[in-house]
Amino acid sequence: MIKKYRRVIFLTGIVTLLPMLVGILFWSRLPEQMPIHYGVSGEVDGYSGRIFAVFGLPLFLLAVHLFCSFVTLLDPRQKNISSKMLTLVFWICPLASWFSAVLVYSTALGIRMDVLKAVDIFMAVLLLALGNYMPKCRQNYTVGIKLPWTLADPENWNRTHRLGGWLFVLAGLFWLLDIFIGIFWVPLAATFLAALIPCAYSLGLYLRRKE
């Protein structure tokens, strides 16, 4: 299975590392201390050396990307993962690498950017995609809401992921709404509930079935 997707893994790996080229091109204009973390207010609250910001972050995301890709492809039930969800697994780290690079380099070069709105857009796109693709996944060990009772019962898995899909889409819409209202804790709370409620619902289905 890995052999089938090796070109995709190679391509997405290159895309993940490409921000390093941007850093090299702007090397002389970048400060020695680079911003790498932002607080809930959108202000920089963490810095690192230029070498780590330019090379370390993409390499770290590449390692995460390769780990997630190989673990997913080695899943004994990999065929149950929808093709669109698999595509998302391949591309989430490359997109995160570029998203991080845009924030870090723009701040370092003095280009003004609304960090919170950028995060709103990125999270909205991610959650909307997850919410749409989640119900299409069947039982597997790497992608989805993997609880003992969802893995043991196909009906529990399907019902839980249908609910989770709707809730993730709703959470994504809250992130879009935050672009206009600017109350960061609201979409954060919506995302937390979108992850928690399906787990509780799944447990409820399991306990009801045991009675």
Side-chain angles (χ1 to χ4, degrees), residues 159-171:
R159 292 177 65 176
T160 298
H161 283 74
R162 280 197 296 270
L163 174 63
W166 281 106
L167 291 175
F168 271 60
V169 168
L170 183 60

Side-chain angles (χ1 to χ4, degrees), residues 9-211:
I9 295 173
F10 178 78
L11 172 63
T12 50
I14 293 297
V15 173
T16 304
L17 293 178
L18 276 178
M20 294 194 305
L21 180 59
V22 178
I24 293 171
L25 291 174
F26 287 96
W27 187 265
S28 61
R29 295 177 55 188
L30 296 175
E32 286 296 330
Q33 291 297 307
M34 299 271 290
I36 60 168
H37 192 272
Y38 299 82
V40 294
S41 64
E43 299 296 323
V44 179
D45 63 1
Y47 292 84
S48 78
R50 180 167 50 182
I51 291 177
F52 177 80
V54 173
F55 299 103
L57 290 178
L59 286 171
F60 170 75
L61 286 169
L62 176 66
V64 175
H65 167 60
L66 294 176
F67 175 79
C68 293
S69 297
F70 288 136
V71 168
T72 303
L73 292 175
L74 291 172
D75 189 326
R77 298 181 177 179
Q78 188 271 326
K79 291 183 179 180
N80 288 346
I81 302 173
S82 69
S83 59
K84 291 182 178 179
M85 183 63 83
L86 190 58
T87 299
L88 186 60
V89 170
F90 289 143
W91 283 99
I92 187 169
C93 283
L95 293 176
S97 182
W98 274 99
F99 176 75
S100 301
V102 169
L103 293 185
V104 169
Y105 292 146
S106 62
T107 304
L109 293 171
I111 301 172
R112 298 192 63 179
M113 174 178 288
D114 193 321
V115 173
L116 294 183
K117 287 185 178 179
V119 172
D120 285 336
I121 294 171
F122 182 81
M123 290 298 299
V125 171
L126 176 61
L127 289 170
L128 288 170
L130 284 171
N132 275 284
Y133 302 154
M134 187 183 295
K136 299 178 178 66
C137 279
R138 299 297 174 253
Q139 285 175 309
N140 69 90
Y141 297 113
T142 52
V143 178
I145 304 170
K146 302 174 295 298
L147 300 170
W149 35 90
T150 57
L151 291 173
D153 181 0
E155 182 183 356
N156 190 309
W157 174 283
N158 292 334
R159 292 177 65 176
T160 298
H161 283 74
R162 280 197 296 270
L163 174 63
W166 281 106
L167 291 175
F168 271 60
V169 168
L170 183 60
L173 294 177
F174 270 103
W175 283 100
L176 283 179
L177 181 63
D178 192 57
I179 296 173
F180 306 100
I181 63 175
I183 306 176
F184 205 60
W185 65 266
V186 174
L188 283 176
T191 305
F192 176 77
L193 291 174
L196 180 63
I197 292 174
C199 296
Y201 174 73
S202 176
L203 177 59
L205 292 177
Y206 169 72
L207 294 175
R208 191 182 310 163
R209 190 156 189 170
K210 279 193 67 176
E211 293 177 352

